[in-house]
């Protein structure tokens, strides 16, 4: 009888990650974290933009384009002689903006349109001069006597056109959760700057609805956010007992903070003298709604919203004192960006380890 061949069954040891493989994996993680640190450091210092911007000049000076030297702000005489209007590009309650040309550079010339709004116009100019920084549109000159202001031109316009811009073929590559979150970080950085400005704690009052908020900010060609309109920027001074009210009319709607709404019900007619003042936490209330616009509906944006849920819920606390500061919101946004970039760069690393 033929014997069946006898097969010896080999016993294999349990599969283990060799010490060399583990060392290589850990080295890869360390390298990734180093690269991530360098990238984010570059983002906060240059892309997110550090407090000191190399393109800024000392007070009363500016530089534009590729020019290396700083020039003094243009005077009335220089504006009248050297600036040429091209076309109207915008008009609000206070001023009209004209695309103009100065020494082959596109600039914006803004002029008062309503004589009753002179104080607002001059207040905006005062703020623009005092707050020049990486967060604020660059001032090139002004003429108080003629109520004109000259600023840098940004062809992508206000943030109202963000979604339309991101659908232009040239910019479709920017339409990602990552880039959109960076814009939200820029926006919160502006709010944080205003709340801790050289002048004190300033409140962004031209913000009664989302469209109005977006109209106050510009989108730069390298996809950053600048505040452009500073006409309504009152000062909070707690030590002096000074709070603010954004205008003298009744504010309605869920977009404005609860403390900005008439507290005495429909049966009591609105009276400005009876309306209680408030502080900068009204800006914090609006951050989630503005950030929701920034995030849009691209792949990954819902994951970002999930990570921001707790901080946004805190921003919507009815009691202003319980809301976080702009700095706390900014810190959280940056942590979320760091976390999500790390997870996107090496998915599954935690499970491998």
């Amino acid at each position: 009888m033929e014997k069946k061949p006898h097969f010896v069954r080999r016993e294999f040891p349990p599969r283990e990650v060799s010490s060399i493989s583990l060392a290589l994996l850990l080295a890869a993680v360390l390298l990734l974290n180093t690269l991530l640190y360098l990238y984010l450091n570059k983002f906060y210092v240059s892309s997110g933009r550090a407090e000191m911007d190399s393109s800024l000049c000392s007070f009363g000076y500016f530089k534009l384009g590729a020019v290396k030297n700083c020039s003094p702000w243009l005077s009335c005489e220089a504006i009248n002689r050297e600036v040429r209007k091209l076309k109207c590009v915008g008009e609000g309650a206070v001023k009209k903006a004209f695309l103009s040309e100065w020494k082959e550079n596109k600039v914006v010339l803004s002029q008062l349109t309503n004589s009753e709004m002179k104080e607002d116009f001059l207040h905006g100019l005062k703020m623009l001069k005092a707050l020049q920084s990486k967060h604020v549109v660059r001032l090139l000159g002004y003429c108080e006597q003629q109520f004109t202001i000259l600023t840098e031109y940004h062809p992508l316009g206000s943030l109202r056109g963000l979604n339309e811009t991101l659908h232009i073929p040239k910019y479709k590559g920017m339409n990602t959760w990552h880039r959109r979150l960076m814009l939200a970080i820029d926006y919160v950085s502006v709010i944080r700057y205003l709340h801790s400005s050289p002048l004190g704690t300033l409140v962004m009052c031209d913000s009664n609805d989302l469209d109005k908020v977006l109209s106050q900010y510009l989108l730069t060609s390298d996809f950053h956010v600048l505040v452009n309109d500073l006409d309504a920027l009152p000062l909070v001074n707690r030590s002096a007992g000074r709070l603010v009210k954004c205008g003298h009319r009744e504010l309605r709607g869920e977009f404005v903070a609860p403390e900005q709404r008439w507290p005495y019900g429909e049966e009591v007619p609105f009276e400005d003298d009876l309306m209680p003042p408030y502080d900068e936490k009204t800006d914090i209330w609006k951050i989630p709604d503005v950030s929701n616009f920034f995030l849009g509906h691209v792949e990954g944006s819902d994951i970002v919203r999930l990570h921001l849920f707790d901080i946004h819920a805190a921003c919507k606390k009815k009691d202003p004192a319980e809301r976080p500061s702009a700095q706390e919101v900014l810190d959280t946004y940056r942590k979320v960006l760091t976390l999500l970039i790390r997870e996107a760069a090496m998915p599954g690393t935690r499970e491998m380890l």
Side-chain angles (χ1 to χ4, degrees), residues 161-319:
L162 174 63
N163 289 323
E164 289 75 11
T165 296
L166 289 171
H167 283 94
I168 297 172
K170 179 181 177 181
Y171 298 112
K172 278 189 175 180
M174 296 286 195
N175 197 17
T176 64
W177 70 262
H178 170 245
R179 179 59 65 173
R180 283 176 170 270
L181 178 54
M182 287 168 68
L183 289 174
I185 288 173
D186 267 3
Y187 165 72
V188 177
S189 296
V190 174
I191 298 299
R192 195 265 302 158
Y193 174 68
L194 295 178
H195 288 185
S196 57
S197 82
L199 301 176
T201 301
L202 299 167
V203 181
M204 193 66 177
C205 266
D206 261 344
S207 56
N208 297 335
D209 57 63
L210 178 61
D211 191 65
K212 186 63 174 175
V213 171
L214 298 176
S215 72
Q216 309 301 304
Y217 296 86
L218 295 171
L219 179 65
T220 68
S221 297
D222 59 347
F223 270 70
H224 289 291
V225 174
L226 296 175
V227 63
N228 180 53
D229 195 331
L230 304 174
D231 294 344
L233 211 60
L235 178 70
V236 168
N237 188 337
R238 285 191 184 83
S239 61
R242 183 194 302 165
L243 298 178
V244 304
K245 288 192 285 188
C246 291
H248 304 286
R249 292 179 293 178
E250 182 177 1
L251 301 179
R252 297 176 179 268
E254 292 300 312
F255 188 83
V256 297
E259 64 270 23
Q260 291 185 280
R261 301 172 211 153
W262 180 242
Y264 302 117
E266 294 290 339
E267 62 278 4
V268 180
F270 176 82
E271 286 187 42
D272 184 42
D273 290 342
L274 297 179
M275 179 67 198
Y278 35 82
D279 63 17
E280 77 280 4
K281 290 298 184 73
T282 58
D283 290 333
I284 304 300
W285 170 274
K286 297 159 188 173
I287 286 176
D289 299 289
V290 181
S291 290
N292 187 53
F293 167 81
F294 278 121
L295 292 174
H297 300 285
V298 297
E299 183 180 355
S301 62
D302 286 341
I303 298 298
V304 179
R305 286 185 178 90
L306 184 63
H307 280 81
L308 296 176
F309 180 85
D310 287 343
I311 192 67
H312 282 173
C315 291
K316 291 294 188 179
K317 294 279 190 181
K318 188 171 183 179
D319 183 354

Side-chain angles (χ1 to χ4, degrees), residues 15 27 30 38 50 57 110 112 151 154 166 181 183 256 265 283 352:
R15 291 183 64 186
L30 286 172
L38 292 172
C57 301
S110 299
L112 178 70
T151 54
H154 294 279
L166 289 171
L181 178 54
L183 289 174
V256 297
D283 290 333
M352 293 170 68

Side-chain angles (χ1 to χ4, degrees), residues 26-74:
L26 289 171
V29 172
L30 286 172
L31 177 61
L32 172 69
N33 284 334
T34 301
L35 293 173
L36 184 62
Y37 170 79
L38 292 172
Y39 167 77
L40 290 172
N41 186 61
K42 181 181 179 183
F43 165 67
Y44 295 138
V45 172
S46 58
S47 298
R49 296 159 23 195
E51 292 302 330
M52 295 305 295
D53 188 335
S54 60
S55 66
L56 291 173
C57 301
S58 57
F59 183 81
Y61 290 80
F62 74 93
K63 59 181 175 180
L64 197 59
V67 177
K68 293 182 179 180
N69 297 325
C70 294
S71 303
W73 287 336
L74 300 186

